[in-house]
Protein backbone atom coordinates (compact mmCIF):
# COMPACT_ATOMS: atom_id res chain seq x y z
CA UNK A 1 0.00 0.00 0.00
CA UNK A 2 1.34 3.45 -0.96
CA UNK A 3 1.70 6.41 1.38
CA UNK A 4 -1.61 8.18 2.07
CA UNK A 5 -0.04 11.28 3.63
CA UNK A 6 3.09 13.39 3.40
CA UNK A 7 6.28 12.61 5.37
CA UNK A 8 5.42 15.22 8.04
CA UNK A 9 2.15 13.48 8.90
CA UNK A 10 3.81 10.06 8.75
CA UNK A 11 6.45 11.34 11.19
CA UNK A 12 3.70 12.52 13.57
CA UNK A 13 2.07 9.07 13.39
CA UNK A 14 5.39 7.30 14.02
CA UNK A 15 6.12 9.46 17.08
CA UNK A 16 2.61 8.97 18.50
CA UNK A 17 2.97 5.20 17.99
CA UNK A 18 5.92 5.23 20.41
CA UNK A 19 3.65 6.28 23.29
CA UNK A 20 2.57 3.50 25.66
CA UNK A 21 -0.84 2.12 24.81
CA UNK A 22 -0.80 3.45 21.24
CA UNK A 23 -0.20 1.07 18.36
CA UNK A 24 0.09 2.14 14.69
CA UNK A 25 -3.69 2.20 14.12
CA UNK A 26 -4.53 4.22 17.24
CA UNK A 27 -1.60 6.54 16.47
CA UNK A 28 -3.12 7.22 13.02
CA UNK A 29 -6.50 7.97 14.61
CA UNK A 30 -4.85 10.27 17.18
CA UNK A 31 -2.85 12.08 14.47
CA UNK A 32 -5.98 12.57 12.35
CA UNK A 33 -7.89 13.88 15.37
CA UNK A 34 -5.08 16.34 16.20
CA UNK A 35 -4.96 17.59 12.62
CA UNK A 36 -8.73 18.05 12.45
CA UNK A 37 -8.70 19.94 15.77
CA UNK A 38 -5.62 22.02 14.96
CA UNK A 39 -6.77 25.23 16.66
CA UNK A 40 -8.47 23.68 19.70
CA UNK A 41 -6.06 20.82 20.40
CA UNK A 42 -2.89 20.64 18.33
CA UNK A 43 -1.64 24.18 18.99
CA UNK A 44 -2.22 24.08 22.79
CA UNK A 45 -0.64 20.59 22.90
CA UNK A 46 2.38 21.80 20.95
CA UNK A 47 2.75 24.74 23.33
CA UNK A 48 2.37 22.52 26.42
CA UNK A 49 5.01 20.10 25.07
CA UNK A 50 7.44 22.97 24.53
CA UNK A 51 6.87 24.30 28.07
CA UNK A 52 7.38 20.78 29.47
CA UNK A 53 10.58 20.41 27.44
CA UNK A 54 11.91 23.72 28.75
CA UNK A 55 10.78 23.60 32.39
CA UNK A 56 10.30 20.01 33.61
CA UNK A 57 13.19 18.67 35.69
CA UNK A 58 13.97 15.83 38.07
CA UNK A 59 13.74 16.70 41.77
CA UNK A 60 17.21 16.52 43.34
CA UNK A 61 15.72 15.32 46.64
CA UNK A 62 13.22 12.60 45.74
CA UNK A 63 13.40 11.99 41.97
CA UNK A 64 9.87 13.21 41.18
CA UNK A 65 9.43 15.30 38.03
CA UNK A 66 8.14 18.86 38.33
CA UNK A 67 8.72 22.38 37.06
CA UNK A 68 10.42 23.34 40.34
CA UNK A 69 13.38 21.82 42.14
CA UNK A 70 12.95 20.63 44.91
CA UNK A 71 9.50 19.51 43.74
CA UNK A 72 6.06 20.52 45.02
CA UNK A 73 5.82 17.43 47.26
CA UNK A 74 9.24 17.97 48.86
CA UNK A 75 8.55 21.64 49.59
CA UNK A 76 5.04 21.08 51.01
CA UNK A 77 5.29 21.99 54.74
CA UNK A 78 2.20 19.88 55.54
CA UNK A 79 4.02 16.67 54.57
CA UNK A 80 5.23 14.27 57.26
CA UNK A 81 9.02 14.35 56.95
CA UNK A 82 9.38 11.34 59.27
CA UNK A 83 8.04 8.99 56.55
CA UNK A 84 9.67 8.23 53.20
CA UNK A 85 7.65 6.20 50.71
CA UNK A 86 9.92 4.37 48.27
CA UNK A 87 8.54 3.81 44.77
CA UNK A 88 10.10 2.41 41.59
CA UNK A 89 8.79 5.05 39.21
CA UNK A 90 7.21 8.51 39.10
CA UNK A 91 4.00 6.85 37.82
CA UNK A 92 3.76 4.98 41.14
CA UNK A 93 4.22 8.24 43.08
CA UNK A 94 1.43 9.85 41.07
CA UNK A 95 -0.83 6.82 41.66
CA UNK A 96 -0.34 7.07 45.44
CA UNK A 97 -1.01 10.81 45.30
CA UNK A 98 -4.24 10.27 43.29
CA UNK A 99 -5.36 7.83 45.97
CA UNK A 100 -4.37 10.32 48.69
CA UNK A 101 -2.76 7.29 50.33
CA UNK A 102 -0.01 9.02 52.31
CA UNK A 103 1.13 12.37 53.64
CA UNK A 104 4.75 11.23 53.75
CA UNK A 105 7.55 12.24 51.42
CA UNK A 106 8.78 10.09 48.53
CA UNK A 107 11.88 8.55 47.04
CA UNK A 108 11.85 7.42 43.39
CA UNK A 109 14.33 4.61 42.65
CA UNK A 110 14.03 4.96 38.86
CA UNK A 111 13.37 1.21 38.35
CA UNK A 112 13.67 -2.08 40.23
CA UNK A 113 16.63 -4.45 40.32
CA UNK A 114 16.48 -6.73 37.30
CA UNK A 115 19.60 -8.76 36.50
CA UNK A 116 17.99 -10.11 33.31
CA UNK A 117 17.53 -6.55 32.01
CA UNK A 118 20.96 -5.45 33.24
CA UNK A 119 19.56 -3.18 35.98
CA UNK A 120 21.82 -3.28 39.04
CA UNK A 121 22.04 -1.27 42.29
CA UNK A 122 24.25 1.34 40.59
CA UNK A 123 21.40 2.15 38.18
CA UNK A 124 19.00 3.05 41.00
CA UNK A 125 19.03 5.92 43.52
CA UNK A 126 19.61 3.54 46.44
CA UNK A 127 22.66 5.37 47.83
CA UNK A 128 20.74 8.63 48.25
CA UNK A 129 17.84 6.70 49.86
CA UNK A 130 20.21 5.18 52.43
CA UNK A 131 21.61 8.68 53.12
CA UNK A 132 18.07 10.06 53.59
CA UNK A 133 17.17 7.14 55.90
CA UNK A 134 20.02 8.15 58.24
CA UNK A 135 18.47 11.60 58.76
CA UNK A 136 17.37 11.72 62.45
CA UNK A 137 13.99 13.15 61.37
CA UNK A 138 13.14 9.97 59.40
CA UNK A 139 11.46 7.21 61.43
CA UNK A 140 9.84 4.99 58.78
CA UNK A 141 10.65 3.82 55.26
CA UNK A 142 7.64 2.39 53.41
CA UNK A 143 8.63 0.15 50.50
CA UNK A 144 5.78 0.71 48.03
CA UNK A 145 7.18 -1.57 45.34
CA UNK A 146 5.34 -3.86 42.96
CA UNK A 147 4.53 -7.39 44.18
CA UNK A 148 6.71 -8.86 41.42
CA UNK A 149 9.93 -10.86 41.72
CA UNK A 150 11.99 -7.77 40.78
CA UNK A 151 10.01 -5.55 43.18
CA UNK A 152 10.43 -7.91 46.10
CA UNK A 153 14.13 -8.52 45.32
CA UNK A 154 14.64 -4.74 45.41
CA UNK A 155 12.71 -4.48 48.69
CA UNK A 156 14.89 -7.17 50.33
CA UNK A 157 18.09 -5.55 49.02
CA UNK A 158 17.08 -2.14 50.42
CA UNK A 159 15.99 -3.65 53.75
CA UNK A 160 19.45 -5.22 54.17
CA UNK A 161 21.14 -1.87 53.47
CA UNK A 162 18.96 -0.11 56.07
CA UNK A 163 19.88 -2.47 58.93
CA UNK A 164 22.06 0.12 60.65
CA UNK A 165 19.68 3.05 60.09
CA UNK A 166 17.42 3.84 63.03
CA UNK A 167 14.21 3.44 60.98
CA UNK A 168 11.25 1.11 60.82
CA UNK A 169 11.06 -0.53 57.37
CA UNK A 170 7.56 -1.52 56.25
CA UNK A 171 5.99 -2.61 52.98
CA UNK A 172 2.55 -2.43 51.42
CA UNK A 173 0.14 -5.21 52.38
CA UNK A 174 -0.41 -7.85 49.72
CA UNK A 175 -3.62 -9.78 49.29
CA UNK A 176 -7.33 -9.38 48.65
CA UNK A 177 -8.11 -5.96 47.13
CA UNK A 178 -11.05 -3.93 48.47
CA UNK A 179 -14.11 -5.07 46.55
CA UNK A 180 -12.31 -8.19 45.34
CA UNK A 181 -14.09 -11.54 45.12
CA UNK A 182 -12.07 -14.61 46.13
CA UNK A 183 -13.24 -16.65 43.15
CA UNK A 184 -11.64 -14.16 40.72
CA UNK A 185 -8.25 -13.83 42.44
CA UNK A 186 -5.13 -15.73 41.40
CA UNK A 187 -3.53 -18.28 43.71
CA UNK A 188 -0.53 -16.07 44.56
CA UNK A 189 -2.77 -13.22 45.75
CA UNK A 190 -4.90 -15.59 47.83
CA UNK A 191 -1.94 -17.28 49.52
CA UNK A 192 -0.34 -13.86 50.27
CA UNK A 193 -3.63 -12.68 51.78
CA UNK A 194 -3.87 -15.82 53.93
CA UNK A 195 -0.27 -15.45 55.17
CA UNK A 196 -0.76 -11.77 56.03
CA UNK A 197 -4.14 -12.12 57.71
CA UNK A 198 -4.90 -9.62 60.50
CA UNK A 199 -7.12 -9.52 63.58
CA UNK A 200 -10.77 -8.70 62.85
Amino acid sequence: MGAVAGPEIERLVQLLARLPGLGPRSARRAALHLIKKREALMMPLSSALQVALDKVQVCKTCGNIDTQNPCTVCTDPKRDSSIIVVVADVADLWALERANATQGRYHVLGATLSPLDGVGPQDLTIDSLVARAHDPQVHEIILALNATVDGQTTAHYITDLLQDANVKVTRLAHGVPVGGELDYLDEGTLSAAMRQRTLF
Side-chain angles (χ1 to χ4, degrees):
M1 183 178 131
V4 293
E8 298 83 3
I9 295 174
E10 284 301 321
R11 173 91 174 125
L12 175 62
V13 171
Q14 286 167 8
L15 288 170
L16 288 170
R18 291 188 192 174
L19 294 172
L22 284 186
R25 287 177 65 184
S26 14
R28 286 194 182 286
R29 282 197 296 271
L32 197 55
H33 186 72
L34 284 168
I35 291 164
K36 283 180 180 174
K37 306 273 184 185
R38 224 178 314 198
E39 300 288 324
L41 196 55
M42 195 179 225
M43 287 174 71
L45 178 62
S46 171
S47 172
L49 285 169
Q50 189 58 54
V51 168
L53 185 63
D54 294 339
K55 297 195 173 176
V56 170
Q57 50 193 311
V58 176
C59 176
K60 63 186 176 193
T61 305
C62 75
N64 187 18
I65 54 174
D66 203 341
T67 53
Q68 66 179 55
N69 201 346
C71 72
T72 308
V73 176
C74 286
T75 54
D76 183 352
K78 294 191 286 290
R79 292 273 169 177
D80 185 350
S81 57
S82 71
I83 296 171
I84 295 176
V85 182
V86 180
V87 293
D89 194 74
V90 173
D92 302 329
L93 185 159
W94 288 4
L96 289 168
E97 282 300 288
R98 276 197 313 275
N100 200 20
T102 178
Q103 278 303 301
R105 299 186 187 278
Y106 290 95
H107 188 90
V108 180
L109 294 172
T112 49
L113 294 173
S114 180
L116 290 175
D117 298 321
V119 180
Q122 71 285 351
D123 301 308
L124 310 182
T125 59
I126 293 175
D127 289 347
S128 57
L129 170 63
V130 172
R132 290 180 74 190
H134 280 82
D135 184 324
Q137 274 192 310
V138 177
H139 298 141
E140 182 179 7
I141 303 286
I142 302 173
L143 300 174
L145 300 170
N146 291 331
T148 59
V149 172
D150 289 346
Q152 295 314 294
T153 301
T154 308
H156 287 296
Y157 182 82
I158 290 170
T159 303
D160 288 345
L161 290 179
L162 295 178
Q163 293 274 315
D164 64 336
N166 190 24
V167 291
K168 177 169 70 169
V169 181
T170 59
R171 69 172 189 176
L172 297 184
H174 300 153
V176 180
V178 174
E181 295 183 32
L182 298 187
D183 191 33
Y184 291 99
L185 299 176
D186 64 276
E187 292 81 0
T189 301
L190 280 173
S191 53
M194 189 57 79
R195 282 195 310 274
Q196 295 175 42
R197 60 192 184 276
T198 55
L199 285 171
F200 194 57

